[in-house]
Tab-separated table of all heavy atoms in Angstrom:
chain	number	residue	atom	x	y	z
Q	1	MET	N	11.003	5.074	-13.412
Q	1	MET	CA	9.855	4.987	-12.485
Q	1	MET	C	9.966	6.073	-11.409
Q	1	MET	O	10.425	5.822	-10.293
Q	1	MET	CB	9.848	3.616	-11.802
Q	1	MET	CG	9.534	2.476	-12.764
Q	1	MET	SD	7.820	2.415	-13.177
Q	1	MET	CE	7.836	1.003	-14.286
Q	2	PRO	N	9.621	7.279	-11.730
Q	2	PRO	CA	9.768	8.345	-10.731
Q	2	PRO	C	8.752	8.209	-9.609
Q	2	PRO	O	7.606	7.809	-9.824
Q	2	PRO	CB	9.510	9.622	-11.544
Q	2	PRO	CG	8.643	9.184	-12.669
Q	2	PRO	CD	9.010	7.748	-12.959
Q	3	LEU	N	9.213	8.561	-8.424
Q	3	LEU	CA	8.303	8.585	-7.269
Q	3	LEU	C	7.765	10.001	-7.127
Q	3	LEU	O	8.547	10.947	-7.021
Q	3	LEU	CB	9.058	8.177	-6.005
Q	3	LEU	CG	8.332	8.447	-4.678
Q	3	LEU	CD1	7.121	7.551	-4.536
Q	3	LEU	CD2	9.274	8.245	-3.497
Q	4	ASN	N	6.468	10.126	-7.170
Q	4	ASN	CA	5.839	11.429	-7.003
Q	4	ASN	C	5.612	11.662	-5.505
Q	4	ASN	O	4.540	11.400	-4.970
Q	4	ASN	CB	4.513	11.461	-7.770
Q	4	ASN	CG	3.914	12.853	-7.823
Q	4	ASN	OD1	4.252	13.714	-7.015
Q	4	ASN	ND2	3.032	13.074	-8.767
Q	5	ALA	N	6.668	12.143	-4.839
Q	5	ALA	CA	6.623	12.259	-3.375
Q	5	ALA	C	5.541	13.232	-2.915
Q	5	ALA	O	4.887	12.996	-1.897
Q	5	ALA	CB	7.980	12.705	-2.858
Q	6	ALA	N	5.331	14.291	-3.674
Q	6	ALA	CA	4.314	15.275	-3.284
Q	6	ALA	C	2.926	14.622	-3.307
Q	6	ALA	O	2.104	14.839	-2.412
Q	6	ALA	CB	4.352	16.478	-4.217
Q	7	TRP	N	2.689	13.808	-4.340
Q	7	TRP	CA	1.381	13.146	-4.432
Q	7	TRP	C	1.203	12.193	-3.255
Q	7	TRP	O	0.128	12.137	-2.639
Q	7	TRP	CB	1.265	12.390	-5.764
Q	7	TRP	CG	-0.120	11.843	-5.984
Q	7	TRP	CD1	-1.149	12.444	-6.635
Q	7	TRP	CD2	-0.625	10.583	-5.503
Q	7	TRP	NE1	-2.264	11.636	-6.591
Q	7	TRP	CE2	-1.975	10.499	-5.914
Q	7	TRP	CE3	-0.071	9.532	-4.771
Q	7	TRP	CZ2	-2.775	9.386	-5.615
Q	7	TRP	CZ3	-0.873	8.425	-4.471
Q	7	TRP	CH2	-2.203	8.359	-4.892
Q	8	HIS	N	2.249	11.447	-2.940
Q	8	HIS	CA	2.144	10.491	-1.838
Q	8	HIS	C	1.881	11.196	-0.514
Q	8	HIS	O	1.126	10.689	0.317
Q	8	HIS	CB	3.419	9.642	-1.750
Q	8	HIS	CG	3.369	8.449	-2.651
Q	8	HIS	ND1	2.775	7.262	-2.284
Q	8	HIS	CD2	3.807	8.263	-3.915
Q	8	HIS	CE1	2.879	6.402	-3.294
Q	8	HIS	NE2	3.495	6.986	-4.297
Q	9	LYS	N	2.502	12.349	-0.310
Q	9	LYS	CA	2.261	13.099	0.919
Q	9	LYS	C	0.807	13.541	0.999
Q	9	LYS	O	0.196	13.540	2.054
Q	9	LYS	CB	3.177	14.334	0.967
Q	9	LYS	CG	4.273	14.187	1.983
Q	9	LYS	CD	5.019	15.496	2.160
Q	9	LYS	CE	6.044	15.301	3.267
Q	9	LYS	NZ	7.063	16.335	3.275
Q	10	ALA	N	0.257	13.919	-0.147
Q	10	ALA	CA	-1.109	14.438	-0.179
Q	10	ALA	C	-2.147	13.317	-0.159
Q	10	ALA	O	-3.312	13.550	0.128
Q	10	ALA	CB	-1.301	15.311	-1.416
Q	11	HIS	N	-1.726	12.095	-0.507
Q	11	HIS	CA	-2.675	10.985	-0.618
Q	11	HIS	C	-2.199	9.762	0.144
Q	11	HIS	O	-1.860	8.745	-0.465
Q	11	HIS	CB	-2.879	10.613	-2.084
Q	11	HIS	CG	-3.427	11.721	-2.923
Q	11	HIS	ND1	-2.630	12.696	-3.479
Q	11	HIS	CD2	-4.689	12.021	-3.289
Q	11	HIS	CE1	-3.390	13.538	-4.155
Q	11	HIS	NE2	-4.642	13.158	-4.062
Q	12	PRO	N	-2.160	9.838	1.461
Q	12	PRO	CA	-1.781	8.634	2.209
Q	12	PRO	C	-2.869	7.568	2.078
Q	12	PRO	O	-4.055	7.893	2.022
Q	12	PRO	CB	-1.676	9.133	3.653
Q	12	PRO	CG	-2.550	10.346	3.712
Q	12	PRO	CD	-2.519	10.951	2.324
Q	13	MET	N	-2.449	6.313	1.998
Q	13	MET	CA	-3.426	5.222	1.983
Q	13	MET	C	-4.117	5.184	3.343
Q	13	MET	O	-3.442	5.171	4.370
Q	13	MET	CB	-2.712	3.897	1.700
Q	13	MET	CG	-3.631	2.694	1.758
Q	13	MET	SD	-4.845	2.621	0.431
Q	13	MET	CE	-3.906	1.743	-0.835
Q	14	PRO	N	-5.464	5.204	3.365
Q	14	PRO	CA	-6.156	5.168	4.656
Q	14	PRO	C	-5.830	3.891	5.417
Q	14	PRO	O	-5.604	2.843	4.814
Q	14	PRO	CB	-7.639	5.198	4.272
Q	14	PRO	CG	-7.684	5.606	2.845
Q	14	PRO	CD	-6.375	5.223	2.233
Q	15	LYS	N	-5.812	4.000	6.729
Q	15	LYS	CA	-5.648	2.788	7.532
Q	15	LYS	C	-6.926	1.962	7.429
Q	15	LYS	O	-8.019	2.506	7.412
Q	15	LYS	CB	-5.401	3.158	8.998
Q	15	LYS	CG	-3.927	3.135	9.334
Q	15	LYS	CD	-3.686	3.262	10.829
Q	15	LYS	CE	-2.188	3.388	11.073
Q	15	LYS	NZ	-1.888	4.082	12.311
Q	16	ASN	N	-6.768	0.650	7.377
Q	16	ASN	CA	-7.925	-0.238	7.232
Q	16	ASN	C	-8.789	0.164	6.033
Q	16	ASN	O	-10.008	0.183	6.111
Q	16	ASN	CB	-8.790	-0.233	8.496
Q	16	ASN	CG	-7.996	-0.660	9.708
Q	16	ASN	OD1	-7.236	-1.618	9.657
Q	16	ASN	ND2	-8.145	0.067	10.797
Q	17	ALA	N	-8.125	0.514	4.941
Q	17	ALA	CA	-8.855	0.927	3.749
Q	17	ALA	C	-9.736	-0.207	3.243
Q	17	ALA	O	-9.337	-1.374	3.266
Q	17	ALA	CB	-7.872	1.348	2.666
Q	18	THR	N	-10.927	0.145	2.801
Q	18	THR	CA	-11.801	-0.841	2.177
Q	18	THR	C	-11.276	-1.133	0.774
Q	18	THR	O	-10.425	-0.401	0.238
Q	18	THR	CB	-13.233	-0.313	2.070
Q	18	THR	OG1	-13.230	0.831	1.207
Q	18	THR	CG2	-13.771	0.086	3.432
Q	19	LEU	N	-11.814	-2.181	0.170
Q	19	LEU	CA	-11.403	-2.496	-1.193
Q	19	LEU	C	-11.722	-1.326	-2.121
Q	19	LEU	O	-10.919	-0.968	-2.986
Q	19	LEU	CB	-12.114	-3.770	-1.662
Q	19	LEU	CG	-11.709	-4.260	-3.062
Q	19	LEU	CD1	-10.219	-4.542	-3.137
Q	19	LEU	CD2	-12.498	-5.505	-3.418
Q	20	ASP	N	-12.879	-0.709	-1.926
Q	20	ASP	CA	-13.262	0.466	-2.711
Q	20	ASP	C	-12.220	1.570	-2.602
Q	20	ASP	O	-11.822	2.173	-3.603
Q	20	ASP	CB	-14.595	1.017	-2.194
Q	20	ASP	CG	-15.748	0.666	-3.111
Q	20	ASP	OD1	-15.526	-0.042	-4.106
Q	20	ASP	OD2	-16.868	1.105	-2.818
Q	21	GLU	N	-11.808	1.842	-1.367
Q	21	GLU	CA	-10.824	2.897	-1.137
Q	21	GLU	C	-9.485	2.546	-1.771
Q	21	GLU	O	-8.806	3.401	-2.332
Q	21	GLU	CB	-10.653	3.138	0.369
Q	21	GLU	CG	-11.837	3.835	0.983
Q	21	GLU	CD	-11.738	3.927	2.493
Q	21	GLU	OE1	-11.296	2.953	3.128
Q	21	GLU	OE2	-12.112	4.966	3.034
Q	22	ARG	N	-9.116	1.278	-1.686
Q	22	ARG	CA	-7.838	0.860	-2.262
Q	22	ARG	C	-7.878	0.951	-3.780
Q	22	ARG	O	-6.919	1.380	-4.411
Q	22	ARG	CB	-7.495	-0.559	-1.807
Q	22	ARG	CG	-7.230	-0.626	-0.314
Q	22	ARG	CD	-6.974	-2.045	0.141
Q	22	ARG	NE	-5.784	-2.591	-0.493
Q	22	ARG	CZ	-5.642	-3.848	-0.919
Q	22	ARG	NH1	-6.619	-4.694	-0.741
Q	22	ARG	NH2	-4.545	-4.250	-1.488
Q	23	VAL	N	-9.001	0.534	-4.369
Q	23	VAL	CA	-9.130	0.630	-5.822
Q	23	VAL	C	-9.043	2.087	-6.252
Q	23	VAL	O	-8.308	2.436	-7.190
Q	23	VAL	CB	-10.458	-0.007	-6.296
Q	23	VAL	CG1	-10.760	0.383	-7.741
Q	23	VAL	CG2	-10.389	-1.524	-6.155
Q	24	ALA	N	-9.767	2.966	-5.550
Q	24	ALA	CA	-9.742	4.393	-5.897
Q	24	ALA	C	-8.336	4.960	-5.723
Q	24	ALA	O	-7.864	5.744	-6.555
Q	24	ALA	CB	-10.738	5.157	-5.030
Q	25	TRP	N	-7.682	4.545	-4.632
Q	25	TRP	CA	-6.323	5.055	-4.379
Q	25	TRP	C	-5.376	4.625	-5.490
Q	25	TRP	O	-4.604	5.435	-6.008
Q	25	TRP	CB	-5.838	4.540	-3.022
Q	25	TRP	CG	-4.536	5.156	-2.566
Q	25	TRP	CD1	-4.403	6.245	-1.742
Q	25	TRP	CD2	-3.204	4.721	-2.900
Q	25	TRP	NE1	-3.062	6.505	-1.553
Q	25	TRP	CE2	-2.297	5.587	-2.248
Q	25	TRP	CE3	-2.697	3.682	-3.675
Q	25	TRP	CZ2	-0.913	5.454	-2.353
Q	25	TRP	CZ3	-1.315	3.551	-3.794
Q	25	TRP	CH2	-0.434	4.421	-3.136
Q	26	HIS	N	-5.446	3.379	-5.878
Q	26	HIS	CA	-4.513	2.886	-6.888
Q	26	HIS	C	-4.819	3.464	-8.265
Q	26	HIS	O	-3.893	3.679	-9.061
Q	26	HIS	CB	-4.519	1.354	-6.925
Q	26	HIS	CG	-3.658	0.765	-5.857
Q	26	HIS	ND1	-2.290	0.773	-5.919
Q	26	HIS	CD2	-3.976	0.201	-4.668
Q	26	HIS	CE1	-1.795	0.217	-4.824
Q	26	HIS	NE2	-2.802	-0.147	-4.050
Q	27	LEU	N	-6.081	3.728	-8.562
Q	27	LEU	CA	-6.394	4.383	-9.830
Q	27	LEU	C	-5.776	5.776	-9.865
Q	27	LEU	O	-5.136	6.166	-10.849
Q	27	LEU	CB	-7.918	4.477	-10.016
Q	27	LEU	CG	-8.597	3.207	-10.506
Q	27	LEU	CD1	-10.109	3.408	-10.524
Q	27	LEU	CD2	-8.103	2.829	-11.894
Q	28	ALA	N	-5.970	6.529	-8.784
Q	28	ALA	CA	-5.392	7.871	-8.715
Q	28	ALA	C	-3.870	7.775	-8.725
Q	28	ALA	O	-3.188	8.561	-9.389
Q	28	ALA	CB	-5.879	8.584	-7.459
Q	29	HIS	N	-3.348	6.809	-8.004
Q	29	HIS	CA	-1.902	6.640	-7.920
Q	29	HIS	C	-1.288	6.341	-9.281
Q	29	HIS	O	-0.278	6.931	-9.661
Q	29	HIS	CB	-1.560	5.519	-6.933
Q	29	HIS	CG	-0.094	5.251	-6.838
Q	29	HIS	ND1	0.476	4.129	-7.364
Q	29	HIS	CD2	0.912	5.974	-6.291
Q	29	HIS	CE1	1.789	4.180	-7.142
Q	29	HIS	NE2	2.079	5.282	-6.480
Q	30	SER	N	-1.920	5.454	-10.027
Q	30	SER	CA	-1.335	5.063	-11.312
Q	30	SER	C	-1.334	6.232	-12.292
Q	30	SER	O	-0.522	6.272	-13.211
Q	30	SER	CB	-2.093	3.873	-11.902
Q	30	SER	OG	-3.385	4.255	-12.309
Q	31	ALA	N	-2.260	7.183	-12.085
Q	31	ALA	CA	-2.292	8.357	-12.958
Q	31	ALA	C	-1.248	9.387	-12.556
Q	31	ALA	O	-0.828	10.195	-13.376
Q	31	ALA	CB	-3.691	8.981	-12.925
Q	32	ALA	N	-0.852	9.361	-11.276
Q	32	ALA	CA	0.011	10.422	-10.759
Q	32	ALA	C	1.444	9.973	-10.547
Q	32	ALA	O	2.337	10.809	-10.472
Q	32	ALA	CB	-0.561	10.952	-9.446
Q	33	CYS	N	1.685	8.691	-10.442
Q	33	CYS	CA	2.971	8.206	-9.971
Q	33	CYS	C	3.196	6.784	-10.479
Q	33	CYS	O	2.237	6.029	-10.645
Q	33	CYS	CB	2.958	8.239	-8.438
Q	33	CYS	SG	4.470	7.682	-7.671
Q	34	ASN	N	4.446	6.457	-10.733
Q	34	ASN	CA	4.772	5.117	-11.242
Q	34	ASN	C	5.747	4.381	-10.339
Q	34	ASN	O	6.535	3.565	-10.805
Q	34	ASN	CB	5.387	5.241	-12.639
Q	34	ASN	CG	4.380	5.670	-13.660
Q	34	ASN	OD1	3.295	5.117	-13.737
Q	34	ASN	ND2	4.716	6.676	-14.434
Q	35	CYS	N	5.713	4.664	-9.063
Q	35	CYS	CA	6.731	4.086	-8.193
Q	35	CYS	C	6.543	2.587	-8.025
Q	35	CYS	O	7.493	1.872	-7.740
Q	35	CYS	CB	6.765	4.788	-6.846
Q	35	CYS	SG	5.373	4.462	-5.768
Q	36	ARG	N	5.335	2.098	-8.178
Q	36	ARG	CA	5.124	0.657	-8.101
Q	36	ARG	C	3.859	0.298	-8.857
Q	36	ARG	O	2.960	1.122	-9.005
Q	36	ARG	CB	5.030	0.174	-6.648
Q	36	ARG	CG	3.960	0.853	-5.822
Q	36	ARG	CD	4.191	0.518	-4.344
Q	36	ARG	NE	3.475	1.428	-3.454
Q	36	ARG	CZ	2.329	1.136	-2.857
Q	36	ARG	NH1	1.750	-0.019	-3.067
Q	36	ARG	NH2	1.763	2.011	-2.057
Q	37	PRO	N	3.808	-0.919	-9.373
Q	37	PRO	CA	2.630	-1.336	-10.130
Q	37	PRO	C	1.448	-1.597	-9.206
Q	37	PRO	O	1.609	-1.776	-7.996
Q	37	PRO	CB	3.084	-2.622	-10.816
Q	37	PRO	CG	4.151	-3.166	-9.922
Q	37	PRO	CD	4.828	-1.977	-9.300
Q	38	MET	N	0.258	-1.650	-9.803
Q	38	MET	CA	-0.925	-2.035	-9.029
Q	38	MET	C	-0.765	-3.463	-8.536
Q	38	MET	O	-0.335	-4.332	-9.288
Q	38	MET	CB	-2.172	-1.977	-9.916
Q	38	MET	CG	-2.752	-0.600	-10.050
Q	38	MET	SD	-4.367	-0.695	-10.865
Q	38	MET	CE	-4.607	1.030	-11.253
Q	39	PRO	N	-1.155	-3.718	-7.294
Q	39	PRO	CA	-1.129	-5.100	-6.816
Q	39	PRO	C	-2.109	-5.958	-7.617
Q	39	PRO	O	-3.110	-5.456	-8.139
Q	39	PRO	CB	-1.585	-4.999	-5.364
Q	39	PRO	CG	-1.600	-3.554	-5.027
Q	39	PRO	CD	-1.640	-2.777	-6.307
Q	40	ASN	N	-1.811	-7.238	-7.685
Q	40	ASN	CA	-2.687	-8.147	-8.428
Q	40	ASN	C	-4.121	-8.102	-7.926
Q	40	ASN	O	-5.066	-8.238	-8.703
Q	40	ASN	CB	-2.153	-9.579	-8.335
Q	40	ASN	CG	-0.923	-9.772	-9.201
Q	40	ASN	OD1	-0.693	-9.005	-10.144
Q	40	ASN	ND2	-0.128	-10.776	-8.889
Q	41	SER	N	-4.296	-7.909	-6.615
Q	41	SER	CA	-5.654	-7.904	-6.063
Q	41	SER	C	-6.457	-6.728	-6.613
Q	41	SER	O	-7.664	-6.837	-6.836
Q	41	SER	CB	-5.614	-7.846	-4.535
Q	41	SER	OG	-4.931	-6.687	-4.110
Q	42	ILE	N	-5.784	-5.599	-6.846
Q	42	ILE	CA	-6.476	-4.426	-7.384
Q	42	ILE	C	-6.758	-4.628	-8.872
Q	42	ILE	O	-7.853	-4.328	-9.361
Q	42	ILE	CB	-5.625	-3.159	-7.163
Q	42	ILE	CG1	-5.364	-2.930	-5.669
Q	42	ILE	CG2	-6.300	-1.941	-7.783
Q	42	ILE	CD1	-6.601	-2.685	-4.850
Q	43	VAL	N	-5.768	-5.139	-9.596
Q	43	VAL	CA	-5.962	-5.403	-11.021
Q	43	VAL	C	-7.126	-6.368	-11.213
Q	43	VAL	O	-7.983	-6.179	-12.080
Q	43	VAL	CB	-4.670	-5.973	-11.640
Q	43	VAL	CG1	-4.908	-6.388	-13.090
Q	43	VAL	CG2	-3.554	-4.936	-11.569
Q	44	ALA	N	-7.171	-7.412	-10.383
Q	44	ALA	CA	-8.232	-8.410	-10.492
Q	44	ALA	C	-9.597	-7.787	-10.194
Q	44	ALA	O	-10.585	-8.099	-10.850
Q	44	ALA	CB	-7.962	-9.568	-9.541
Q	45	GLU	N	-9.638	-6.896	-9.209
Q	45	GLU	CA	-10.907	-6.257	-8.856
Q	45	GLU	C	-11.382	-5.338	-9.981
Q	45	GLU	O	-12.565	-5.304	-10.310
Q	45	GLU	CB	-10.739	-5.479	-7.546
Q	45	GLU	CG	-11.947	-4.664	-7.136
Q	45	GLU	CD	-13.190	-5.521	-6.858
Q	45	GLU	OE1	-13.083	-6.753	-6.766
Q	45	GLU	OE2	-14.278	-4.914	-6.744
Q	46	LEU	N	-10.456	-4.604	-10.588
Q	46	LEU	CA	-10.829	-3.740	-11.716
Q	46	LEU	C	-11.358	-4.579	-12.869
Q	46	LEU	O	-12.361	-4.232	-13.496
Q	46	LEU	CB	-9.620	-2.919	-12.171
Q	46	LEU	CG	-9.244	-1.773	-11.244
Q	46	LEU	CD1	-7.911	-1.168	-11.674
Q	46	LEU	CD2	-10.324	-0.702	-11.228
Q	47	ALA	N	-10.713	-5.698	-13.143
Q	47	ALA	CA	-11.166	-6.575	-14.221
Q	47	ALA	C	-12.550	-7.131	-13.907
Q	47	ALA	O	-13.419	-7.211	-14.770
Q	47	ALA	CB	-10.161	-7.704	-14.419
Q	48	ARG	N	-12.751	-7.487	-12.630
Q	48	ARG	CA	-14.040	-8.030	-12.212
Q	48	ARG	C	-15.131	-6.979	-12.412
Q	48	ARG	O	-16.227	-7.267	-12.888
Q	48	ARG	CB	-13.970	-8.447	-10.743
Q	48	ARG	CG	-15.125	-9.317	-10.272
Q	48	ARG	CD	-15.018	-9.610	-8.784
Q	48	ARG	NE	-15.212	-8.414	-7.979
Q	48	ARG	CZ	-16.410	-7.869	-7.730
Q	48	ARG	NH1	-17.489	-8.432	-8.210
Q	48	ARG	NH2	-16.513	-6.786	-7.009
Q	49	ARG	N	-14.827	-5.722	-12.027
Q	49	ARG	CA	-15.829	-4.651	-12.165
Q	49	ARG	C	-16.125	-4.349	-13.620
Q	49	ARG	O	-17.267	-4.084	-13.975
Q	49	ARG	CB	-15.332	-3.387	-11.464
Q	49	ARG	CG	-15.276	-3.575	-9.971
Q	49	ARG	CD	-14.817	-2.324	-9.275
Q	49	ARG	NE	-14.736	-2.576	-7.847
Q	49	ARG	CZ	-14.644	-1.628	-6.928
Q	49	ARG	NH1	-14.608	-0.365	-7.291
Q	49	ARG	NH2	-14.593	-1.936	-5.658
Q	50	ARG	N	-15.075	-4.360	-14.447
Q	50	ARG	CA	-15.301	-4.118	-15.875
Q	50	ARG	C	-16.198	-5.200	-16.447
Q	50	ARG	O	-17.103	-4.919	-17.223
Q	50	ARG	CB	-13.968	-4.092	-16.626
Q	50	ARG	CG	-13.402	-2.690	-16.735
Q	50	ARG	CD	-12.366	-2.618	-17.832
Q	50	ARG	NE	-11.178	-3.373	-17.489
Q	50	ARG	CZ	-10.163	-2.861	-16.797
Q	50	ARG	NH1	-10.199	-1.615	-16.400
Q	50	ARG	NH2	-9.113	-3.585	-16.509
Q	51	THR	N	-15.955	-6.432	-16.051
Q	51	THR	CA	-16.766	-7.547	-16.538
Q	51	THR	C	-18.203	-7.379	-16.068
Q	51	THR	O	-19.141	-7.568	-16.836
Q	51	THR	CB	-16.198	-8.883	-16.026
Q	51	THR	OG1	-14.853	-8.975	-16.454
Q	51	THR	CG2	-16.991	-10.053	-16.557
Q	52	ALA	N	-18.368	-6.994	-14.809
Q	52	ALA	CA	-19.716	-6.809	-14.268
Q	52	ALA	C	-20.441	-5.693	-15.011
Q	52	ALA	O	-21.616	-5.822	-15.347
Q	52	ALA	CB	-19.634	-6.491	-12.777
Q	53	LEU	N	-19.722	-4.595	-15.262
Q	53	LEU	CA	-20.331	-3.485	-15.983
Q	53	LEU	C	-20.713	-3.904	-17.393
Q	53	LEU	O	-21.810	-3.620	-17.865
Q	53	LEU	CB	-19.348	-2.312	-16.066
Q	53	LEU	CG	-19.240	-1.433	-14.826
Q	53	LEU	CD1	-18.153	-0.382	-15.027
Q	53	LEU	CD2	-20.567	-0.765	-14.527
Q	54	ALA	N	-19.798	-4.600	-18.067
Q	54	ALA	CA	-20.029	-4.963	-19.458
Q	54	ALA	C	-21.225	-5.896	-19.589
Q	54	ALA	O	-22.020	-5.774	-20.521
Q	54	ALA	CB	-18.784	-5.616	-20.034
Q	55	SER	N	-21.370	-6.814	-18.633
Q	55	SER	CA	-22.432	-7.802	-18.776
Q	55	SER	C	-23.777	-7.261	-18.295
Q	55	SER	O	-24.819	-7.795	-18.637
Q	55	SER	CB	-22.081	-9.063	-18.003
Q	55	SER	OG	-21.858	-8.751	-16.651
Q	56	SER	N	-23.775	-6.158	-17.529
Q	56	SER	CA	-25.038	-5.617	-17.040
Q	56	SER	C	-25.653	-4.652	-18.042
Q	56	SER	O	-26.835	-4.358	-17.989
Q	56	SER	CB	-24.845	-4.923	-15.699
Q	56	SER	OG	-24.060	-3.772	-15.875
Q	57	GLY	N	-24.844	-4.130	-18.963
Q	57	GLY	CA	-25.364	-3.166	-19.929
Q	57	GLY	C	-25.621	-3.814	-21.273
Q	57	GLY	O	-24.740	-4.437	-21.838
Q	58	GLU	N	-26.817	-3.661	-21.764
Q	58	GLU	CA	-27.151	-4.257	-23.050
Q	58	GLU	C	-26.813	-3.324	-24.202
Q	58	GLU	O	-26.929	-3.707	-25.355
Q	58	GLU	CB	-28.649	-4.588	-23.108
Q	58	GLU	CG	-29.116	-5.550	-22.045
Q	58	GLU	CD	-28.606	-6.948	-22.329
Q	58	GLU	OE1	-28.729	-7.406	-23.472
Q	58	GLU	OE2	-28.064	-7.589	-21.405
Q	59	THR	N	-26.434	-2.110	-23.904
Q	59	THR	CA	-26.263	-1.108	-24.955
Q	59	THR	C	-24.819	-0.666	-25.076
Q	59	THR	O	-24.513	0.501	-25.024
Q	59	THR	CB	-27.140	0.114	-24.684
Q	59	THR	OG1	-26.814	0.628	-23.385
Q	59	THR	CG2	-28.607	-0.224	-24.707
Q	60	ARG	N	-23.929	-1.627	-25.194
Q	60	ARG	CA	-22.535	-1.254	-25.388
Q	60	ARG	C	-22.320	-0.722	-26.797
Q	60	ARG	O	-22.918	-1.226	-27.747
Q	60	ARG	CB	-21.645	-2.465	-25.130
Q	60	ARG	CG	-21.621	-2.799	-23.654
Q	60	ARG	CD	-20.520	-3.755	-23.335
Q	60	ARG	NE	-20.211	-4.606	-24.489
Q	60	ARG	CZ	-19.204	-5.467	-24.522
Q	60	ARG	NH1	-18.420	-5.587	-23.512
Q	60	ARG	NH2	-18.970	-6.216	-25.545
Q	61	LYS	N	-21.449	0.271	-26.891
Q	61	LYS	CA	-21.249	0.898	-28.203
Q	61	LYS	C	-20.002	0.396	-28.913
Q	61	LYS	O	-19.775	0.725	-30.049
Q	61	LYS	CB	-21.148	2.412	-28.047
Q	61	LYS	CG	-22.455	3.035	-27.607
Q	61	LYS	CD	-22.351	4.547	-27.722
Q	61	LYS	CE	-23.608	5.214	-27.193
Q	61	LYS	NZ	-23.385	5.782	-25.862
Q	62	ASP	N	-19.167	-0.381	-28.200
Q	62	ASP	CA	-17.966	-0.855	-28.870
Q	62	ASP	C	-18.328	-2.065	-29.694
Q	62	ASP	O	-17.761	-2.998	-29.837
Q	62	ASP	CB	-16.853	-1.123	-27.862
Q	62	ASP	CG	-17.292	-2.058	-26.753
Q	62	ASP	OD1	-18.504	-2.240	-26.573
Q	62	ASP	OD2	-16.405	-2.584	-26.077
I	101	ZN	ZN1	3.810	6.120	-6.015
């Protein structure tokens, strides 16, 4: 689980980050660094959004 220190320096978590900002930060973080897993709250929010997207679109191709 390497810590990508350069990425962390360039991408500090904003103070009082909104859920949107935290989700975006953790998505970018998971692509750049593996120092810690996504918190359950972020995983749950991503799952919730995927569900919302899937149920709002009638033209899924999968
Ligand atoms: Zn990290």
Side-chain angles (χ1 to χ4, degrees):
M1 292 285 180
L3 167 68
N4 189 340
W7 187 92
H8 274 275
K9 252 189 176 164
H11 300 84
M13 176 68 88
K15 262 190 186 154
N16 302 316
T18 63
L19 183 59
D20 256 3
E21 288 173 320
R22 294 177 62 218
V23 166
W25 188 95
H26 278 286
L27 280 175
H29 178 252
S30 69
C33 180
N34 290 311
C35 71
R36 56 193 163 101
M38 278 190 194
N40 286 339
S41 59
I42 300 297
V43 174
E45 175 63 12
L46 286 171
R48 194 184 67 77
R49 292 181 182 195
R50 268 199 292 273
T51 303
L53 280 176
S55 57
S56 67
E58 300 288 312
T59 56
R60 289 194 332 174
K61 292 190 184 103
D62 54 343

